[in-house]
Amino acid sequence: MPGHAYKHIADELATAILTGQYRPGDRLPRQRDLAEQYEVSAIVVQQAIALLKNAGLVDSSGRGGTIVRERPPIRRISSRRYQADFGPQDEPKTSFTADAGIKWSQYRLDKAYQWIQADERLAELFGVEIGTRVLERRFVFYANGIPSQMSRPCLLASDVQNTPVADPHNEPWPGGTVAQLRTLGLEVDEITESVATRMPTTEEAKTLGIGPGVPVFAITRRMLAGGRVVEVADPIVIPGDRAVLDYDIPL
């Protein structure tokens, strides 16, 4: 057994989980049995299990043992995903439902709206004065009941105040923000995104069920119409173990 025995054990168990030998909801062998199998102490097995928990692969449930976690399908987030928002709405859809490969009936959106004043960062992203009135929207996106994404898309009060777009009861809106802005005569003709990785906040980890060692993609998006920024989503948060950022780069 190598010097770092716990890493070797964790690697073997992780491989068994990822290849389907252990499926979501299955219990791993008891720690006592693993210690006997690998001829190591209980502490070494506990260290191996801790690595699996840190990677978001398992949960410990006291006397229930170590349970393999449910793993939502990996989403491939293509740079073409917004075509679902721009295209015809033969049936309700958004870029999120297209990404997740789900139907409208399998989609759920939790939302909270409030009017705020733009701080320095938000004002810079919008290209407006600090203190400008903004509609802050906070969304949690669910696919088949699983929380999969959080976002904070903001809109200028001067664009949306006293319109249906400012009413949370109209969410979810087929075609998403692109379709909403179109009803106001604002045709989105450019979308920019910057992508960073970081560890989740406590709220993000709890809301999205993120393992303690799993980072997130933190995306800042701006939608423009005629050269003017009309929406800023800062941030869009997606668990790093559930997504592949897939971009097309025309040459």
Side-chain angles (χ1 to χ4, degrees):
M1 182 73 64
H4 296 296
Y6 69 97
K7 292 183 179 179
H8 172 75
I9 296 169
D11 285 344
E12 289 202 349
L13 290 173
T15 298
I17 291 169
L18 295 173
T19 57
Q21 181 178 337
Y22 295 114
R23 297 183 175 277
D26 286 351
R27 286 180 173 81
L28 295 186
R30 294 182 304 174
Q31 293 189 18
R32 180 192 311 168
D33 295 337
L34 288 171
E36 292 180 1
Q37 176 184 341
Y38 287 99
E39 299 181 346
V40 296
S41 68
I43 292 177
V44 171
V45 172
Q46 290 168 8
Q47 290 174 319
I49 298 300
L51 285 182
L52 296 178
K53 290 178 64 178
N54 204 42
L57 294 176
V58 302
D59 283 321
S60 292
S61 56
R63 293 189 176 183
T66 303
I67 310 297
V68 177
R69 293 189 66 190
E70 187 75 33
R71 296 189 306 281
I74 290 179
R75 296 171 53 222
R76 296 188 63 83
I77 303 171
S78 168
S79 57
R80 297 181 180 178
R81 65 190 176 280
Y82 292 111
Q83 290 180 358
D85 295 333
F86 285 95
Q89 292 286 320
D90 300 328
E91 59 183 49
K93 59 186 175 182
T94 68
S95 55
F96 175 79
T97 62
D99 264 347
I102 58 174
K103 295 182 178 180
W104 196 252
S105 60
Q106 299 169 305
Y107 173 41
R108 173 182 144 202
L109 183 70
D110 288 353
K111 64 266 187 178
Y113 282 34
Q114 67 172 337
W115 296 100
I116 64 170
Q117 293 184 333
D119 58 14
E120 183 176 358
R121 175 172 174 80
L122 203 52
E124 180 180 2
L125 288 168
F126 267 115
V128 298
E129 296 292 328
I130 295 173
T132 297
R133 197 160 188 252
V134 170
L135 176 61
E136 177 192 70
R137 306 180 296 173
R138 292 185 179 269
F139 293 152
V140 180
F141 299 79
Y142 293 77
N144 287 313
I146 299 173
S148 304
Q149 177 178 305
M150 299 173 69
S151 72
R152 177 183 174 248
C154 297
L155 300 165
L156 295 173
S158 57
D159 288 330
V160 302
Q161 193 165 0
N162 299 321
T163 74
V165 175
D167 185 349
H169 294 96
N170 291 325
E171 292 286 359
W173 190 305
T177 300
V178 170
Q180 291 175 334
L181 292 171
R182 185 178 296 124
T183 67
L184 305 177
L186 298 171
E187 291 289 342
V188 174
D189 52 24
E190 183 180 357
I191 299 175
T192 69
E193 292 185 337
S194 62
V195 182
T197 56
R198 58 169 171 79
M199 297 308 296
T201 66
T202 301
E203 178 189 2
E204 291 165 353
K206 180 179 179 180
T207 300
L208 296 175
I210 302 171
V214 177
V216 296
F217 293 110
I219 303 169
T220 297
R221 179 186 72 204
R222 298 193 306 167
M223 291 187 177
L224 293 86
R228 180 171 71 87
V229 179
V230 291
E231 186 249 26
V232 170
D234 181 49
I236 299 168
V237 178
I238 304 170
D241 62 346
R242 303 180 206 170
V244 175
L245 297 185
D246 184 14
Y247 291 97
D248 297 320
I249 304 175
L251 298 177

